[in-house]
Amino acid sequence: MALDPSTILILSIALATAAALYLAVEWGSVRERSLLLWSSGFAIIAVGSFLALLRSRGYLVVGIWFANGLLIAAHGMFLAGVARFTGTRLSRAWWLIAALWLLMLLLPNQVWWSRVMLGTQSLLIALMTLRASFLLRPHGVSLSVGAVQLRYVLLLHGLFYFAKAISAVTLDALLDLAAFRGVVIQVSLVEGAMAIMLIALSMTGTERHRREERIAQLAARDPLTALLNRRALDRRAPGLMAQASPANPGALLLIDIDNFKQVNDLHGHIAGDKLLVALSEIIREALPPGALAARLGGDEFLILLHGLAIDDLRQLGDGLRQSFAQVAHQSFPTPDAVSLSVGGTLFEEAPADLATLIARGDAALYDSKRAGRNRMMMTPANAARSPS
């Protein structure tokens, strides 16, 4: 079967439809909006390619204006999907592309009409595609294999359309949009079919890596508070503990909620969960850069950090206690005050393991409970524990 324009368009319809359906199925399982935008882009290409077939039957307005306009819209959806994936807010100025295309309707149907129309369409697509490729730059972090592939496929696709825009108005080649004749059109149809396949595969790989990253993040987080869980803490703590030195001591704070059982008994376990979430948010907001925070289980939390003097640590612990006591009193009043007991320890060199460090913090926390709760007991490096 010869690869005439109609055959290539039919192949493009099949590829674009398959890509749209696959990405839509992926979106149904992970609900990532970029997938939906990309799926919509391929669906628009499928419709546009079908309409392009009609120009050979004399339906020039639908087969040319609508088909070419839909191709621009499809690449706009690709750009919107990449922006969503990278968390970038696009300027509203991109809507001017639609207005520019509508102004093209006012052009008279002269000999040069096909060249100007194809050149304008190609330039608009090139701008959107190159912008999407630019958004996928690493920005100081490594990209997944799929994202790197998508970046370069979009770059090459955009450069092709840029070259196509130039050739459409400069080369002395036969260019007849109505009859699908001309070297530029033939090459463009083949490139379009290949681009559909490569872009779809790259988008799929990009989102698959994102999904795997999210699964790994969920596995490392406490499902209620979104702080690190014990397994993730055990994996990340040695690197932070190894940074401790006499000039830059490390510290561990062990935090426990006083009278937490009364919240569950009087207000229900849902209220208790809300209070745990509130504490995690307080901890997260107070956390210094580079510190680790984890929920060890129940109502016990841990903070591991370095680079703070003992007075700064006491200020951190007291700030946590005061903020939490205010939230607990206002939201879930109990006969006995719901507060925080904090036990901490400093270390000037990395301990044998995290369990050893937690045991020292637990001893300080026990002293805090025994001294009346709602207080912080700190064990300075090479010093006895002292009240705060």
Side-chain angles (χ1 to χ4, degrees):
M1 183 171 58
L3 290 178
D4 57 88
S6 296
T7 301
I8 299 176
L9 279 175
I10 293 173
L11 178 62
S12 298
I13 293 172
L15 289 173
T17 301
L21 291 175
Y22 182 79
L23 291 171
V25 171
E26 287 287 297
W27 173 80
S29 61
V30 299
R31 296 292 173 175
E32 176 60 45
R33 191 178 178 185
S34 57
L35 283 170
L36 185 61
L37 292 169
W38 291 337
S39 176
S40 300
F42 284 114
I44 292 172
I45 288 178
V47 174
S49 298
F50 174 78
L51 294 180
L53 288 171
L54 300 179
R55 72 180 67 178
S56 61
R57 296 180 176 269
Y59 300 102
L60 299 185
V61 174
V62 173
I64 296 178
W65 287 110
F66 275 73
N68 288 3
L70 287 177
L71 190 59
I72 295 173
H75 285 81
M77 299 300 285
F78 291 160
L79 173 58
V82 171
R84 177 72 180 187
F85 177 81
T86 58
T88 305
R89 185 179 181 86
L90 292 174
S91 170
R92 293 183 179 179
W94 287 100
W95 287 101
L96 294 176
I97 290 179
L100 179 59
W101 187 249
L102 291 175
L103 289 176
M104 291 287 293
L105 290 170
L106 302 177
L107 287 177
N109 190 0
Q110 300 294 332
V111 176
W112 44 266
W113 174 81
S114 289
R115 290 177 180 271
V116 173
M117 181 182 186
L118 189 59
T120 303
Q121 179 220 34
S122 300
L123 183 59
L124 296 179
I125 291 176
L127 289 174
M128 291 185 292
T129 309
L130 291 175
R131 175 58 175 162
S133 176
F134 180 82
L135 292 179
L136 286 168
R137 292 181 307 159
H139 298 290
V141 296
S142 60
L143 293 175
S144 68
V145 174
V148 172
Q149 289 177 346
L150 180 58
R151 177 191 175 195
Y152 286 108
V153 169
L154 290 175
L155 176 62
L156 293 175
H157 190 56
L159 292 176
F160 172 83
Y161 267 92
F162 185 75
K164 179 180 171 182
I166 296 175
S167 64
V169 296
T170 59
L171 293 181
D172 187 19
L174 178 63
L175 192 62
D176 188 343
L177 291 180
F180 262 142
R181 292 198 303 269
V183 175
V184 174
I185 293 179
Q186 298 289 334
V187 173
S188 180
L189 288 173
V190 174
E191 190 275 342
M194 294 176 60
I196 290 172
M197 182 170 55
L198 292 175
I199 291 174
L201 290 174
S202 300
M203 287 175 174
T204 302
T206 298
E207 280 299 342
R208 183 180 297 115
H209 181 80
R210 172 69 66 83
R211 181 172 55 187
E212 290 172 353
E213 281 186 333
R214 288 180 176 174
I215 292 174
Q217 290 175 357
L218 290 174
R221 298 286 172 176
D222 173 65
L224 177 63
T225 64
L227 296 178
L228 295 177
N229 58 29
R230 180 59 187 267
R231 179 181 299 178
L233 179 66
D234 288 338
R235 186 168 59 250
R236 297 176 59 177
L240 193 150
M241 292 189 300
Q243 300 177 36
S245 67
N248 187 32
L252 176 141
L253 298 181
L254 209 56
I255 302 167
D256 186 80
I257 302 178
D258 304 319
N259 302 313
F260 181 67
K261 186 175 183 299
Q262 293 186 19
V263 176
N264 288 328
D265 292 343
L266 295 176
H267 302 281
H269 287 277
I270 294 179
D273 288 346
K274 290 181 179 179
L275 194 59
L276 292 174
V277 171
L279 175 56
S280 69
E281 292 174 351
I282 292 172
I283 292 174
R284 194 176 289 110
E285 291 177 359
L287 208 62
L292 300 178
R295 181 189 178 197
L296 299 182
D299 59 340
E300 192 170 42
F301 295 77
L302 178 148
I303 297 176
L304 186 64
L305 66 165
H306 68 90
L308 294 184
I310 190 169
D311 290 339
D312 296 326
L313 290 171
R314 285 172 173 162
Q315 184 177 358
L316 173 62
D318 289 340
L320 293 174
R321 289 193 304 106
Q322 293 168 9
S323 298
F324 178 76
Q326 183 177 2
V327 170
H329 177 71
Q330 293 176 350
S331 302
F332 308 108
T334 54
D336 298 317
V338 176
S339 57
L340 293 183
S341 290
V342 181
T345 182
L346 291 171
F347 55 98
E348 296 180 348
E349 60 181 24
D353 51 40
L354 180 62
T356 300
L357 195 61
I358 291 177
R360 288 165 55 183
D362 195 51
L365 177 62
Y366 176 76
D367 287 348
S368 176
K369 293 280 190 181
R370 188 174 56 181
R373 304 181 179 181
N374 190 25
R375 66 192 63 223
M376 176 176 175
M377 300 294 286
M378 195 72 202
T379 304
N382 302 322
R385 290 187 293 271
S386 59
S388 171

